[in-house]
Amino acid sequence: MLLQTPSPQRTAATAAAATPLPPIAWRATGSVAAAVVATLLLLSPFYGYHRDELYFRLLGQTPAWGYFDQPPLTPLLARLSTALFGDTLVGLRVVPALCAGLLILLGAAITRELGGRRGAQTLAAAGLGTGMFPLVAGHTLLTQSADFVFWTACVLCVLRALLRGDGRWWLAAGAVAGAATFNKHLILLLLTGLATGLLVTVGLAVKGPRAVFADRWFWSGALLAALLASPNVLYQALKGWPQLTMAATLSEPINRVMFVPMLVALLSMGAFAIAVAGWWWLRRRRETRPLAITVLVTVLLGWASGGRADYVAGSVIFAFAAGCVPVATWMEARRARFRTVWCGLLGTSAIGIAVALPLLPLSALSSSPNEVPRESVGWPRFAAQVAAVHRALPPGTVVITANYGEAGALNRFAPGIPVYSGHNELWRQGPPPETARTVVAVGLPPERLRPRFTTCESAGVVDHGTGVANEEQGLPITVCSGPRAPWTSAWADYQHAS
């Protein structure tokens, strides 16, 4: 019929597609991103390797489709980064610094996609560039370094599919989600939240969920994500689903207690306030309500699972980027509001910056709420101490460490020493050869070693010489000889996950 009234969904989709987006604030957001990357690279040599970095560097020497405790991407990034930029601390940390810069640009792009002009985009870039966890993951190579980028890029693609009414963006979202499974499986939380949001708000989005579920591009994107993720699923199935074991191991009651405080601290208190405003703004708009539900569902799933708050940091980052749109509009009305917002954001970021970056003296690290720098000091001296014990023992002596950080430190700073560990993936690289009759055990309880050997004697305790009370300081070093059982049968007793 010529006079047929257009459907609200079609009208909204047409209006959204016809509304031009604000210009990209390249000068402001690019300057913030460049300044953050440059600062991170400048500070990258300080403190030292974090134990996870030493582990990733060690795993990267034997690339695989997957590992007991994680997919293959982060160890592969460690391998590529050290190959391209040198096997140094600075070379290893080029990739996380670049990830931090990319996260800033993606966050500002989300703000622009939601209608944010230059002021809003600048606010988003500044908040992400001074947020505590983005800086932690930008200074140190962690699985979160790439995970924040994957999560934020996926949200941006979903936004463009919903707000622009262009289903081809579902393919991009599917590609990003599938690729993200090679880094961490937490992207499944985002996809679960998104599916819930679309189902709950049927008919409310600009391109309503009914239309989304009927769109071949949506299902093509879902199929692409499944195809890209299939090697990870196959690996898990063939290896007995080790990720489920790790998830159960990492789920702790204390994580639920600390979840909300850590959620607030992910960026800063000022940024969290903007994120709350952003979530409320997303919920009130019909076209973005599915994504408001997505944020809520992912946060609730993260809390219920007993995981850490940073596992769902991508949802907080998205809510913050969204909140910069209404907050920028509100603060532009009065000069006092402008000062309040910027002082509140940057002022509350100051503590996070000091904690996240290597700015505190070593004497303050013992009481720092951020364990990353605390576990990044003293590794060279640790390796030298263990190597000195090893040199005094007969040929064929091996070292068995309690955790992957210790094994990674010896591989980096004392590469000639044969090192084994029962921790996570490293257990699979054992057992020691049957010819190993003498062992230097680092960090393992002597009372658990004595029944397994004919003799065990103390060789001192770990003293990394920094004065920082971290997990390594004071651990026992024990020399044991004469294993009572073959390594092939005894090695199972050394396996542990954390």
Side-chain angles (χ1 to χ4, degrees):
M1 294 175 60
L2 293 175
L3 299 179
Q4 183 178 14
T5 303
S7 70
Q9 290 178 8
R10 188 182 301 248
T11 302
T14 303
T19 303
L21 291 174
I24 302 175
W26 282 118
R27 181 174 297 179
T29 60
S31 297
V32 173
V36 168
V37 171
T39 301
L40 291 171
L41 291 176
L42 183 66
L43 296 176
S44 61
F46 296 102
Y47 289 157
Y49 289 93
H50 183 254
R51 59 186 175 193
D52 286 2
E53 291 179 303
L54 292 166
Y55 182 46
F56 299 146
R57 178 187 172 277
L58 179 58
L59 291 184
Q61 296 172 8
T62 55
W65 278 110
Y67 303 98
F68 174 82
D69 49 352
Q70 62 190 292
L73 183 59
T74 301
L76 183 60
L77 289 176
R79 172 74 175 268
L80 292 175
S81 190
T82 53
L84 291 174
F85 305 110
D87 191 9
T88 64
L89 185 58
V90 175
L92 185 68
R93 289 178 170 175
V94 172
V95 167
L98 294 176
C99 285
L102 183 56
L103 175 64
I104 292 169
L105 296 178
L106 288 170
I110 286 177
T111 302
R112 172 180 177 264
E113 198 68 30
L114 290 166
R117 298 190 298 273
R118 183 179 182 276
Q121 294 176 47
T122 305
L123 189 67
L128 294 177
T130 57
M132 184 173 73
F133 266 72
L135 288 177
V136 169
H139 173 67
T140 307
L141 179 62
L142 306 171
T143 53
Q144 292 93 330
S145 303
D147 195 56
F148 292 168
V149 173
F150 278 123
W151 195 301
T152 308
C154 189
V155 169
L156 177 61
C157 294
V158 169
L159 263 180
R160 290 184 171 179
L162 290 175
L163 299 185
R164 298 185 182 188
D166 186 351
R168 290 172 296 182
W169 281 103
W170 289 118
L171 274 179
V176 173
T181 64
F182 285 86
N183 185 64
K184 295 187 81 168
H185 297 139
L186 294 176
I187 195 71
L188 295 176
L189 295 178
L190 175 62
L191 299 181
T192 302
L194 177 61
T196 304
L198 290 173
L199 288 170
V200 169
T201 59
V202 168
L204 296 181
V206 166
K207 188 175 183 182
R210 281 196 182 94
V212 169
F213 292 137
D215 189 346
R216 63 185 177 89
W217 290 111
F218 175 83
W219 295 109
S220 297
L223 178 61
L224 180 59
L227 287 174
L228 290 174
S230 60
N232 292 295
V233 177
L234 181 61
Y235 173 86
Q236 290 290 318
L238 292 176
K239 298 294 184 178
W241 305 99
Q243 194 59 44
L244 297 180
T245 302
M246 281 303 304
T249 301
L250 296 176
S251 178
E252 299 178 1
I254 188 62
N255 288 339
R256 294 188 180 93
V257 175
M258 295 300 299
F259 192 86
V260 173
M262 290 303 298
L263 203 67
V264 175
L266 283 173
L267 296 176
S268 66
M269 290 184 64
F272 185 77
I274 294 175
V276 171
W279 182 84
W280 187 258
W281 182 71
L282 290 169
R283 189 197 68 83
R284 294 183 61 186
R285 301 173 74 215
R286 285 178 47 188
E287 62 270 25
T288 56
R289 201 166 297 161
L291 292 169
I293 295 175
T294 299
V295 171
L296 182 61
V297 169
T298 56
V299 170
L300 290 176
L301 286 175
W303 175 82
S305 67
R308 300 198 311 262
D310 59 283
Y311 292 173
V312 295
S315 286
V316 178
I317 289 171
F318 166 55
F320 166 74
C324 289
V325 180
V327 168
T329 302
W330 176 81
M331 73 179 185
E332 288 171 359
R334 295 181 184 177
R335 187 69 182 175
R337 293 177 179 178
F338 183 91
R339 290 194 298 268
T340 299
V341 170
W342 275 103
C343 290
L345 178 64
L346 299 181
T348 57
S349 295
I351 296 177
I353 293 172
V355 169
L357 297 179
L359 301 176
L360 298 176
L362 291 180
S363 58
L365 293 185
S366 297
S367 56
S368 172
N370 181 14
E371 65 86 25
V372 174
R374 192 162 53 248
E375 303 303 329
S376 301
V377 298
W379 290 117
R381 179 160 172 173
F382 160 85
Q385 183 181 4
V386 175
V389 175
H390 181 269
R391 282 195 301 269
L393 296 172
T397 299
V398 301
V399 175
I400 298 180
T401 68
N403 63 58
Y404 56 61
E406 296 160 351
L410 290 170
N411 178 269
R412 173 65 181 87
F413 298 109
I417 296 177
V419 182
Y420 298 87
S421 178
H423 194 196
N424 292 5
E425 175 66 23
L426 297 185
W427 180 81
R428 294 177 173 176
Q429 299 183 8
E434 296 298 340
T435 55
R437 309 304 296 169
T438 303
V439 167
V440 179
V442 181
L444 297 173
E447 62 273 15
R448 294 183 59 187
L449 293 169
R450 292 189 184 101
R452 295 173 168 81
F453 295 87
T454 56
T455 62
C456 284
E457 297 180 358
S458 173
V461 297
V462 173
D463 181 11
H464 49 61
T466 65
V468 177
N470 62 11
E471 293 186 9
E472 296 301 317
Q473 183 69 10
L475 289 181
I477 302 175
T478 310
V479 175
C480 295
S481 299
R484 298 182 184 273
W487 283 112
T488 51
S489 58
W491 190 236
D493 297 335
Y494 292 82
Q495 184 179 21
H496 63 283
S498 65

